[in-house]
Each structure stands twice: as structure tokens, then as C-alpha cells.
Amino acid sequence: MGHRPSSLDEPRPAAPRLAVVGNPENRRVALFEDAVRAAGLPAPRVVPWADVLRDGGADFAAEEIVRLDSPGENAEVDRLLRGAGDPTRVEGSGRWYARFTTAVRSLRGGVRLDDPDELAVLFDKRLCHAVLDAAGVPVPASPTSGPQGARVRGWDDVRAAMREHRMPRLFVKPAHGSSASGVLAVESGGGGRIRATTSVELAADGGLYNSLRVRRYEREQDIAAIVDALAPDGLHLERWLPKASQEGRAADLRVVVVAGRATHAVVRTSRSPMTNLHLGGRRGDLDSVREAVEAAGARWTDLLGVCEQAAACFPRTLCVGVDLLPAVGWRRAAVGEVNAFGDLLPRLTGLPGSGAEGLDTYAAQVAGVLGGLARYRTGTPHA
């Protein structure tokens, strides 16, 4: 009688080899490393963005699973991408975009969890808006959507768009910006009055600086100076949609979608148009949001479905963070943005029924990797 191999004799599949391109000192990389180790996998290889930018790329083994993380919060990387000596300067996002997308395409080999072509769309708000709109995802109206959209050369073009498209309230966004950097919430009133709410600090010499304090500008010449300085980098205009509120504060949601499923959500509330937590926004109560949605006769799963519909526009990217803008009354919602690196929600565990219960956003991504990679493109040089 022949020997029947025991389970110990059977060949075992090799553990996946993961790599992450990021800033090694950053907590994003540390959180991903923790999630990989917690899954019982070898620690991922960390490839610094600074090395990628200085060396003209990086090479990965064919079976290496490659995840990209944000290049932000590193002064040297910021200098290499934007060319600015002061990382608090707002200008330079156009140069950042060109150099970042070139760096992404310089990565060779491996199995990619972030598709280069999709990243190029995600980091251009005009292109991303058009892709979402074409897929039937509800988005704010925009005259700058897509390659054929209007180009904004300065404040005069913004004023013209407000008149022609009957948008007395709109958001002016750097096309390649993130974390609300350079965003202005503009509203006009009777008698030609104009006001802009933004985190941009306009210096005496005309330079623009990121600030943690949201401020208001009511002199049109100041608003025009900011917009004129940002316009060469590319600007995107969107109608300012009135949002639902929680405890008297404007509310929206950041919903993380991993492998096509909405896994995590956080409510962000603010007394200003910008709800970003680093600009004074506060985390709201998610249970109250669910109750408000159901009380309005809508379904919470439908709101999450809008986020999954948005993520489905980027099928070769494992994880995105969707900014969901609930309308007044909580019955409907639109997508404000889709963020390639929108997963930094420390200690937040998965939504009930999501399959990510008990997992943070990074552990959910590791679980998504282990669950199958058939939908992701193997790493080959991209034209």
C-alpha cells in the first residue's frame, strides 16, 4: 500500500510577498506593516518614495504584490515632486501631479494594487468627475468636467462661470490638490458682494500657504489674487450643494471601499464648508446618520451603494476613499471626491455586514489581497 502524504507532507503555498512604496517614517506605512504582520505574513518590503524619485523608478519581482501609499508629509519628497523649498506653499500642484504620475509609471514589475492609469484620473479632479458622471454616479454639476471642460485661467473665468451656469455658490478646487489644500468655498450676494472660505493664507508678498485655520476673505481683490495664483496649476469648479447637518454642523462622510465593498465609514462635521478633520472638523455619530437616513425613508445600504458605484469606476485599484455628500433631509447623496489614499482612519473598524468587522482599513486591504488578486493587473511597464 502506497504512502499517503500527511498534511505536513503536502506542499504549502508560499506566503504572499508584499511591498509598499511610501515614506518609511510615516504612520501610514507603519499601520500597513502592522496589518501585514497581524495576518501572519512576512513584513512588507518598504521602498521609499525619495529613492524612486531620485533613482528614476524601482524594480519588483514578478510575484511581489505592490501597494502604493501617499507620498505626503515628507519635506524631501515634497521638494522632489513640487520643486518648492517650503512644504507649506500651496502652489505647485501641477508640477506635483506630473512628477508623481511619472514616478508611478517608473515602477517596474510586481502585481499592482494601484493602477497607474487610474491613479492619473484620481489625481485630476476634472477627469475623475467626468468618469463618475459618465457612469451615472451622482456628482455636483461642474463646467470644468472632463478633457473638454472649460479651462479656468483666473478669477475672471470663475466669475463668468458663476453667471453663465447660475452658480452663486461654488467650490474652486485645485485640480490636483488633496486634503482641502487650496480649496475655496465661494458665495456671492446682493450688490456684488463676494466671500470665500478657505484654509489658504495669502501672504503680503502674494505667496499662498496652507494653514490649519479656516478663514474668510471678503475683499474680491484678495480672492482674485488667490485664484489667479492657483490657476496655472489647473482648477476645477463644482456647484456647492447644501449638505445635511448633525447637531447644527454640516456633515459628510468618508467611506472606504476595499475590493469593491464599502468597509469603513466616518462622519465628519464642521461649522465651515470644509469638514476635514485637520481643519477643525469633528467626527460625528454614524449610528445617528443611519437612523436619520432610515427615518427619511431612504436606505443606508443605498448610500453605501453610491460609494461602491464610484469605486467601481476604478476596478484595478484595491482601495479608495469616497467623500459622500448627503443632501439636506438625508434622502439622497452625491460624491464629492474619490481619493486614492483616503484610508487613513486609525483605529476605525469595519461596518457591520461589510466582511471587515474588527479590522481597520489596512487589515481590510490585506484581507482583500489574501482573498484573491484576479481583478488586479500584473505589473508591466505602462506607456
Side-chain angles (χ1 to χ4, degrees):
M1 186 174 181
H3 173 67
R4 180 184 179 85
S6 69
S7 60
L8 293 176
D9 296 324
E10 294 172 354
R12 294 169 177 259
R17 294 174 53 196
L18 280 83
V20 57
V21 183
N23 296 327
E25 77 287 354
N26 194 278
R27 59 178 173 162
R28 291 173 175 269
V29 171
L31 289 167
F32 182 65
E33 289 177 313
D34 290 344
V36 171
R37 291 192 188 97
L41 300 176
R45 180 165 73 99
V46 179
V47 178
W49 275 117
D51 290 354
V52 171
L53 292 163
R54 282 193 293 255
D55 299 342
D59 293 287
F60 299 90
E63 71 280 5
E64 208 167 10
I65 301 167
V66 184
R67 176 180 179 272
L68 307 189
D69 216 327
S70 171
E73 300 180 343
N74 180 293
E76 173 64 8
V77 171
D78 185 73
R79 185 188 66 78
L80 291 168
L81 288 172
R82 292 198 305 129
D86 187 342
T88 66
R89 289 294 290 259
V90 180
E91 305 97 320
S93 61
R95 185 183 298 112
W96 182 99
Y97 175 78
R99 293 181 177 177
F100 173 70
T101 53
T102 297
V104 170
R105 296 182 191 282
S106 73
L107 304 175
R108 300 172 291 269
V111 178
R112 306 292 179 78
L113 302 182
D114 311 84
D115 180 75
D117 294 332
E118 292 182 354
L119 282 177
V121 173
L122 286 165
F123 277 101
D124 188 323
K125 298 183 196 305
R126 300 162 300 189
L127 298 179
C128 187
H129 185 282
V131 167
L132 296 171
D133 193 31
V137 177
V139 288
S142 169
T144 56
S145 180
Q148 305 307 316
R151 287 295 173 259
V152 180
R153 294 157 297 186
W155 175 243
D156 289 344
D157 288 344
V158 175
R159 270 297 210 179
M162 294 174 75
R163 290 191 303 270
E164 294 168 10
H165 297 277
R166 297 183 180 180
M167 299 195 320
R169 303 170 80 238
L170 84 168
F171 279 91
V172 180
K173 301 179 177 181
H176 311 298
S178 61
S179 302
S181 175
V183 172
L184 296 92
V186 179
E187 48 195 325
S188 59
R193 290 179 295 115
I194 198 84
R195 179 170 68 186
T197 304
T198 179
S199 63
V200 173
E201 180 181 353
L202 176 62
D205 64 358
L208 308 183
Y209 295 85
N210 283 308
S211 170
L212 295 180
R213 181 171 74 85
V214 175
R215 63 198 70 212
R216 286 180 173 173
Y217 292 94
E218 298 190 349
R219 293 200 313 164
E220 186 163 359
Q221 66 191 73
D222 292 334
I223 301 169
I226 295 172
V227 173
D228 289 347
L230 292 175
D233 286 318
L235 291 173
H236 178 55
L237 309 181
E238 287 184 345
R239 185 180 297 277
W240 180 346
L241 301 179
K243 290 192 292 190
S245 62
Q246 186 175 92
E247 297 183 355
R249 297 164 63 89
D252 62 19
L253 294 95
R254 166 64 59 84
V255 179
V256 176
V257 182
V258 178
R261 174 172 288 188
T263 57
H264 298 74
V266 63
V267 184
R268 307 180 301 185
T269 71
S270 177
R271 298 198 183 280
S272 86
M274 272 70 80
T275 59
N276 302 70
L277 300 180
H278 72 284
L279 295 178
R282 293 200 312 236
R283 285 196 182 188
D285 185 75
L286 189 61
D287 289 335
S288 295
V289 166
R290 283 196 292 256
E291 291 168 5
V293 170
E294 300 289 345
R299 295 191 302 179
W300 169 244
T301 53
D302 289 344
L303 264 66
L304 295 181
V306 170
C307 300
E308 294 175 350
Q309 183 186 5
C313 295
F314 306 96
R316 297 185 300 276
T317 298
L318 175 66
C319 175
V320 295
V322 179
D323 290 345
L324 190 69
L325 315 177
V328 173
W330 294 103
R331 288 183 58 85
R332 294 175 293 103
V335 171
E337 295 188 15
V338 182
N339 305 272
F341 303 132
D343 54 2
L344 183 61
L345 298 172
R347 298 179 299 280
L348 183 70
T349 53
L351 294 166
S354 68
E357 297 90 340
L359 303 178
D360 68 10
T361 58
Y362 298 92
Q365 291 172 68
V366 174
V369 169
L370 296 177
L373 293 169
R375 59 195 292 241
Y376 300 110
R377 175 184 299 180
T378 56
T380 55
H382 289 74

